[in-house]
Amino acid sequence: MVSQQFSYVIGVDTHAKTHTLVALDHLGGKHGTAQTFPTTPPGLKRAQAWIERETTGPVLVAMEGTGSYGAQFCDLLTAAGVRVTETRPPKRGVRRAGKTDPIDAEHAARYALALPMEHLITPRNHAGHHAALTVLLTARAALKKAHSASNNRLTALLRGYGFGLDVRLALTAEQIKVVAAWRAHRNDDVGMVTIRAEAAREAREILSRQAELTANEKGLLKHVKALAPYLLLEHGVGAIVAAQLIVSWSHQGRIRSEAAFARFAGIAPIPASSGNTIRYRLHRGGDRALNTAIWVTTFYRYHHDLATAAYVEKRTKEGKTPKEIQRVLKRYIARHLFRVLDNHTT
């Protein structure tokens, strides 16, 4: 238990401008009063000095938002050799005591104090190539959303006003290029001039986003090759999937087992039986981006890998449905990819 391994647990409630710290001893008693420090570099140094001054023996810092508001403080403490764990926000029932920064910091400390050591969540690595991958994946999600929005708007315009294009199906790359090159026609009325110009602008926006997505993927590939080139040798794992695997897994020892990795990815089987029907479904929580990455690999292998095709045929003869087979495959692939990652040091 954490209470048996650490003399003190420091709870940290993180915000954009300030961090609030509360210290508990290993018995759960408060040590001193809550302290609030600004998130400026000098303020974070003062917070670190307060922890060193107020505690003796092994210290665990329980912090929310280690990848956002608390990222700099987490890096500072980790570099100083202080163990940091990420905590979850308190559940609604715990809010009966009210909500202030000191109360939230104390909740974080008490939550960590009661955990078994193996349940501590080690913050992700967000330095160097890991940081670059995290930023590029976040940017990619925004680019894809903007690309889809522009595509939908252009499709709606072309379907609503004709322009002589067959747009009953999804727009092709060639059609988008044609629309992007449109100029005003002499026979267009005032309304059509505006509509044609807007369609051309949306088409150019789509082409621009496509170029940015291509550059983004090249950047992901560069950092993946620097960290874990062996992932690219796996069937169905390209630059984007490999980048998400690296970011979610982060580093050796962060996730304690392949079962924990499957749970983290939302792929752990959960009993969903009733009466004479025995079946399982997948856990719906976890890192949904990681879940999507494993699904992409599963989908590719399901349709393009000979060994997987033989397995699918075998399971089909046993009476399994395609959905049940895909669930088993996702679990198997998650186990395999975790072992690939954890057997290498990145």
Side-chain angles (χ1 to χ4, degrees):
M1 300 293 292
V2 167
S3 58
Q4 296 171 316
Q5 298 295 320
F6 294 95
S7 301
Y8 293 92
V9 176
I10 309 296
V12 183
D13 185 42
T14 60
H15 293 282
K17 293 184 178 181
T18 62
H19 294 338
T20 299
L21 283 64
V22 169
L24 302 181
D25 61 30
H26 69 285
L27 297 177
K30 282 189 182 180
H31 184 77
T33 58
Q35 298 291 321
T36 299
F37 301 92
T39 56
T40 59
L44 297 180
K45 284 285 188 181
R46 284 168 47 207
Q48 180 190 4
W50 180 83
I51 294 174
E52 294 173 351
R53 186 171 61 250
E54 294 294 321
T55 61
T56 56
V59 176
L60 174 69
V61 175
M63 185 186 306
E64 291 182 23
T66 57
S68 53
Y69 290 145
Q72 294 185 51
F73 193 33
C74 178
D75 289 343
L76 179 66
L77 294 175
T78 302
V82 178
R83 177 75 182 272
V84 179
T85 184
E86 185 171 354
T87 64
R88 299 182 179 89
K91 296 180 180 179
R92 286 187 179 180
V94 182
R95 295 288 190 192
R96 294 171 187 161
K99 177 173 170 42
T100 64
D101 292 349
I103 289 175
D104 285 348
E106 183 178 342
H107 282 322
R110 294 196 183 280
Y111 174 81
L113 191 65
L115 289 176
M117 286 294 296
E118 63 269 19
H119 287 181
L120 291 180
I121 302 174
T122 304
R124 293 179 181 181
N125 187 339
H126 45 77
H129 292 292
H130 286 85
L133 286 176
T134 301
V135 171
L136 286 173
L137 285 173
T138 302
R140 186 172 189 83
L143 287 171
K144 287 183 69 176
K145 186 175 181 180
H147 178 270
S148 296
S150 291
N151 205 317
N152 291 339
R153 288 193 295 267
L154 178 59
T155 301
L157 273 177
L158 296 179
R159 287 177 177 171
Y161 296 95
F163 295 106
L165 290 177
D166 184 359
V167 290
R168 291 173 295 174
L169 301 177
L171 294 176
T172 65
E174 190 58 37
Q175 285 176 323
I176 293 172
K177 290 178 182 178
V178 168
V179 175
W182 277 356
R183 297 293 181 269
H185 287 191
R186 284 179 294 180
N187 296 330
D188 286 346
D189 59 24
V190 175
M192 291 303 291
V193 167
T194 300
I195 296 166
R196 188 183 295 275
E198 183 62 16
R201 187 193 66 78
E202 291 286 8
R204 290 192 294 270
E205 184 77 8
I206 292 170
L207 295 177
S208 175
R209 292 289 176 261
Q210 288 174 343
E212 290 175 336
L213 284 168
T214 300
N216 177 277
E217 186 171 356
K218 289 180 179 178
L220 290 171
L221 181 61
K222 179 182 73 172
H223 295 292
V224 166
K225 285 182 175 179
L227 283 174
Y230 49 84
L231 280 176
L232 300 173
L233 302 177
E234 298 293 324
H235 288 297
V237 177
I240 300 166
V241 170
Q244 187 59 60
L245 288 170
I246 293 170
V247 167
S248 297
W249 172 79
S250 184
H251 57 275
Q252 198 172 50
R254 176 173 181 261
I255 300 175
R256 65 183 182 275
S257 67
E258 57 88 8
F261 184 73
R263 179 78 180 207
F264 180 57
I267 301 172
I270 296 175
S273 303
S274 178
N276 295 327
T277 302
I278 306 299
R279 61 181 295 273
Y280 293 85
R281 68 171 180 84
L282 297 184
H283 170 56
R284 306 298 184 194
D287 186 334
R288 303 314 296 173
L290 176 60
N291 185 284
T292 300
I294 294 176
W295 162 246
V296 170
T297 303
T298 304
F299 184 84
Y300 176 87
R301 293 190 182 188
Y302 192 90
H303 293 282
H304 302 287
D305 182 54
L306 293 179
T308 303
Y311 176 80
V312 170
E313 184 179 359
K314 174 187 172 183
R315 285 293 196 167
T316 302
K317 290 179 180 178
E318 293 174 357
K320 301 293 185 183
T321 66
K323 185 172 288 188
E324 289 173 333
I325 296 170
Q326 289 165 11
R327 287 170 179 166
V328 175
L329 283 173
K330 285 179 75 175
R331 181 68 176 85
Y332 168 79
I333 290 170
R335 178 191 301 120
H336 173 71
L337 292 175
F338 173 77
R339 289 174 178 173
V340 169
L341 286 164
D342 224 42
N343 288 334
H344 293 79
T345 302
T346 62

